[in-house]
Amino acid sequence: MNETVVVTGGGTGGHLKVADAFIEEFHNRGIDVIFIGSSNGQDKAWFENDRRLKKTIFLDTRGVVNKNSLGKVTSLLNIFSKTIQCLAVYSKYNVKTVISVGGFSAAAATFASILKFGCKLYIHEQNSKMGKLNEITSKFATEVFSSFDENSLVKDYPVAKEFFETARVRDKIKTIAFFGGSQGAICINDFALKVAPRLNEMGIKIIHQAGKNDFNRVAEEYKKLNINADVFDFSKDIPSKMSSADFAVSRAGASTLWELCANSLPTFFIPYKHAAGDHQYYNAKALYDKGLCFLKREDELDVDEFFKIIGSDIHKISIGLISSINSNAISLIINIILENNKK
Ligand SMILES: CC(=O)N[C@H]1[C@@H](OP(=O)(O)OP(=O)(O)OC[C@H]2O[C@@H](n3ccc(=O)[nH]c3=O)[C@H](O)[C@@H]2O)O[C@H](CO)[C@@H](O)[C@@H]1O
């Protein structure tokens, strides 16, 4: 019987985008993949009915962090029972390789990989600060990959090839894009609406991903301002939105951040301040320290400073971004996994 690989994790777009990169590469290499995620969060929307997958399993699991004691115990018991369920799946499909991209969706499948004799666990940590689950389970992993860890065997982030294919060096700002991460960000929406009239006067076009929950309000506000912006809630075609822009204002979720790098798009990052361990700030800080982006905390936003920034030398940053990331990360990671499994 052929081996089947399990990819697990999700919750939000940042984790799911990396899961997608693994699924795509395994699929292209003719290796069967089962995806195990959660029925809560965005996992179903991304992978239900995905033809590249041999099987999808969405478990009714929820996060453990940020719960009271009783909630924690209930969640842990639930994870335990789902772990048993995953072990049965591993036996049935001869699973010997599990790749976790983190998030609460990954808990049961990851624990099952640790408990199953002969099963290898690989982890992809997206952020500059390790997530809680990865912190616990990484001790049992055969390999942990991370773009922010000097010891990682592959330091480039798995970014879809479209972001590289549509990359170009930016010079003059004719279009600015606002990105709020997979769920949108009210703070970025409000900031965009504040600077929009002046951008409009300067003849700068606006692309704006507002997120599902705030989309109607944002679209209505642009109408009131009489600005013809390209506003949307969520798009499956972020590469073309990025490539149309000459500058971006964005949250600093890891997947978005590296996609912007791959696209050579100079960016002003406004990290989500409640991200665990402030990881969004440190994601962007790593780039900022190399002089490859602009960075401001959301409580320190200043409109005049923003206009100074967009008047500065974005060409130099755009050129610098070309060498900030290589396009072959996922292929290298999977080569390492497959080589390891031969041992
Ligand atoms: C609030 C929070 O804790 N967010 C975390 C979450 O962010 P979030 O889920 O927002 O993740 P990212 O910004 O890393 O990635 C979002 C992904 O969704 C895609 N996309 C987005 C908008 C859209 O309209 N269409 C679309 O396809 C982007 O191209 C990107 O690939 O996971 C990331 C990766 O672990 C973390 O770094 C973030 O801190």
Side-chain angles (χ1 to χ4, degrees), residues 1-292:
M1 186 184 170
N2 281 341
E3 192 197 332
T4 302
V5 162
V6 162
V7 174
T8 185
T12 61
H15 301 286
L16 290 160
K17 198 61 179 256
V18 178
D20 187 76
F22 275 103
I23 291 166
E24 180 70 10
E25 183 72 15
F26 278 123
H27 175 73
N28 289 342
R29 295 191 190 201
I31 296 169
D32 286 341
V33 184
I34 295 175
F35 173 76
I36 303 182
S38 175
S39 54
N40 306 299
Q42 302 178 356
D43 307 6
K44 267 192 171 179
W46 279 67
F47 295 130
E48 202 173 28
N49 307 320
D50 190 317
R51 292 203 176 163
R52 298 168 302 174
L53 294 163
K54 179 172 178 155
K55 189 175 173 62
T56 48
I57 300 172
F58 300 101
L59 304 166
D60 184 11
T61 48
R62 288 164 206 273
V64 179
V65 186
N66 299 333
K67 289 234 168 83
N68 63 23
S69 311
L70 184 65
K72 277 198 171 93
V73 172
T74 315
S75 291
L76 284 171
L77 283 175
N78 181 38
I79 289 173
F80 180 71
S81 81
K82 300 299 187 294
T83 301
I84 309 277
Q85 197 178 326
C86 291
L87 279 169
V89 172
Y90 294 179
S91 294
K92 181 171 176 192
Y93 293 96
N94 190 26
V95 173
K96 291 196 182 120
T97 308
V98 173
I99 293 120
S100 166
V101 297
F104 68 87
S105 306
T110 305
F111 290 134
S113 75
I114 295 168
L115 293 175
K116 185 170 192 291
F117 181 73
C119 187
K120 288 194 166 92
L121 168 67
Y122 296 90
I123 291 176
H124 185 275
E125 167 57 62
Q126 291 93 53
N127 296 298
S128 51
K129 302 261 160 153
M130 205 173 237
K132 246 304 144 296
L133 178 72
N134 287 351
E135 215 176 272
I136 298 164
T137 55
S138 56
K139 299 171 187 71
F140 303 94
T142 302
E143 208 62 66
V144 178
F145 300 97
S146 167
S147 304
F148 295 101
D149 180 357
E150 275 309 306
N151 298 319
S152 175
L153 290 180
V154 178
K155 279 187 261 314
D156 291 305
Y157 196 92
V159 167
K161 63 179 186 321
E162 290 78 8
F163 293 95
F164 292 95
E165 285 167 358
T166 58
R168 61 189 174 83
V169 173
R170 274 47 171 211
D171 206 346
K172 191 173 162 9
I173 301 182
K174 294 186 202 131
T175 303
I176 289 191
F178 294 88
F179 297 114
S182 59
Q183 299 167 87
I186 291 176
C187 155
I188 289 189
N189 293 346
D190 287 344
F191 188 68
L193 290 166
K194 218 183 222 176
V195 296
R198 201 155 139 194
L199 292 175
N200 196 42
E201 274 167 29
M202 292 163 78
I204 294 175
K205 287 198 197 116
I206 295 171
I207 296 172
H208 188 150
Q209 178 242 334
K212 209 167 85 187
N213 296 336
D214 205 21
F215 169 73
N216 288 338
R217 177 187 76 98
V218 174
E220 197 51 46
E221 289 298 324
Y222 277 115
K223 245 190 224 155
K224 281 191 210 156
L225 292 168
N226 206 16
I227 295 173
N228 186 17
D230 172 12
V231 199
F232 55 96
D233 54 356
F234 185 92
S235 163
K236 285 255 170 194
D237 196 11
I238 291 293
S240 85
K241 303 285 185 193
M242 273 188 196
S243 73
S244 307
D246 307 296
F247 191 82
V249 176
S250 179
R251 281 297 198 215
S255 291
T256 303
L257 180 141
W258 290 110
E259 288 163 3
L260 291 158
C261 290
N263 201 254
S264 293
L265 181 55
T267 300
F268 175 62
F269 286 105
I270 309 171
Y272 175 57
K273 63 179 174 183
H274 301 297
D278 206 12
H279 69 243
Q280 284 209 359
Y281 176 78
Y282 291 101
N283 288 352
K285 180 80 167 42
L287 210 59
Y288 178 80
D289 288 343
K290 293 179 187 153
L292 292 178

